[in-house]
Amino acid sequence: MNLTLRWHPAPAASTYDLQVSTDSTFATTVVNQTNIADTSYAVGPLTANVRHFWRVRGKNAAGNGAYSAFSAFTTNVGAPAHVSPANAATNVSVTVPLVWRPVSGATQYRLQVATTAGFTGGTIVKDTTLADTTKVLTGLGYSTQYYWHVSAQVASAWGDYATAWSFTTALAPAGVPVHLAPANNAIDQTTSLTIRWRAATAAATYHLQAGADSTFASGFIVNDSTLTDTSRSVSGLGYNQKYYWRVRSKNAGGSSAFAATWNFRTVMSVPTAPVLLTPAANAIEQPTAGLVFSWRALAGATHYTIQIATDSTFASGLFRNDTTLTDTTRTITGLVQNTRYFWRIAGRNAGGPGPFTATRSFTTLAPVPGVITLLSPAHQSVVNKDSARFTWNRPTPGATRYWFEISPDSAFGFTSVDSTVTDTAKTYRPLNDNATYYWRVRGGTATKWGSFSEVRRFSVVVTSVNTPQSVPTEFTLAQNFPNPFNPTTQITFGLPKESTVRVEVYNLLGQQVAEIASGVHAAGFHTVRFDASGLTSGMYLYKLTAGEVSLFRKMMLVK
């Protein structure tokens, strides 16, 4: 019905005239086109199922040539042009109109729809009585590909089917979700919570609405239609507020109905910080087992959290972090002796945790210090009467202070006591000439004393000579005498003024091996005795330190 007529060129022709008629005499024409510059011409649409005649003549400036002999052809019935849905369209509704263009002269159309491309099976429509160019299909399956084509009838002849088109229907509509949490009419819900629902069939996304308005006309806190999961976290809710929520599902096929509206109410505001009772702030000597922590009950709190740590920031050293308490007391065991701990309490309800109290600290009971080992002077030794220096080791368990006791009586009936010593050394003066003394030490904590050390005895001999008539003009350190020596020798030094003096002995490695004198000495010359019984033969250095002055000499011990 739409075709192109072609002919061979005529000699000397510059243009052509074309006639098409349903009459071989060409008394009437359906095409009468002149001055065609080419040797072909498209005609149509012609009447379907009709015999046509056509002829051509050439022309130039000299005139018209003769018409050719006519040729004849019979038109068929043209296939209708499909319009919609577009070929290979997707997400098409299961109720869809099929539309095509009319064919000239057609009196009716026939339509085939099938689920196979060759229309050999799965045919759902085969209608030959259609007078219109539209056919509405209903009841199609979801997610199904369909094929369709149409042909036209002109007079009594049916034309060919148009090339088949296809379309695919949309997914099945998503099912209605089932609400899960918070439960309908739930109370005491936190101000930050998660709304959850069951997955709906065929759902691609979900639309959640939540707010303080039961009609969802306003007051939204959530109106999110992009959710792909079956939960949504919600925060910033008000305390003691009623909220409403609902969910529907969606996919390419459309949206489901909203599930029935549920509601919930949030908690009252979180509790304030409790008031601590025991142990008192900065308490000491607390037991390591059975220590009771207590605080005042807090209105609105359903639970309490206790934290105990050796770190005041609670970032480390966390000893307890108990969040399950419903009472206002907690008994703790397993604390470490002589350790400072920090503790605090916070209340909690369904709305969340309240603030922690200010931090308190306490110190556990220190262990009784161990027995001290005395170092110097040695038992039954001889010491300088002007200033005797007593030393001892730190005990295990340790001590924070020491009780130094010295007496001329072995039963310590007449005793001098210093209980304020914090170092492991004590310089004691003066001592009586040619007297015998006894001394001992014990360690202590803030609240208790340990056992005494062994008792040591020493004698006092006049070992310094002070000659006021002969006062040196500068600090001097004389060569020891005798030298070499075995095992004792005398060391003399001179002081131009009263000074704090130390006389020490070192080996050649620079290690101190003895302290001969220590303390304040008057101006003048002084002689001290050095006993090297515990040393091996060799060269030694002895050093005088007086104020900012330091003097050295060598001496030889030969055994």
Side-chain angles (χ1 to χ4, degrees), residues 376 384-392 404 406 418 421 423-431 500-502 515 517-521:
S376 65
N384 189 328
K385 72 177 284 296
D386 294 323
S387 57
R389 181 176 173 82
F390 301 84
T391 62
W392 54 90
F404 174 81
I406 187 168
D418 185 352
V421 181
D423 198 2
T424 57
K426 167 72 175 175
T427 299
Y428 187 84
R429 73 175 193 275
L431 298 173
T500 300
V501 172
R502 286 201 317 275
E515 183 179 80
S518 175
V520 178
H521 288 62

Side-chain angles (χ1 to χ4, degrees), residues 144-170:
T144 304
Q145 187 174 24
Y146 291 94
Y147 301 86
W148 66 288
H149 60 187
V150 183
S151 69
Q153 185 185 51
V154 177
S156 60
W158 285 100
D160 293 333
Y161 279 103
T163 301
W165 277 17
S166 70
F167 63 89
T168 302
T169 52

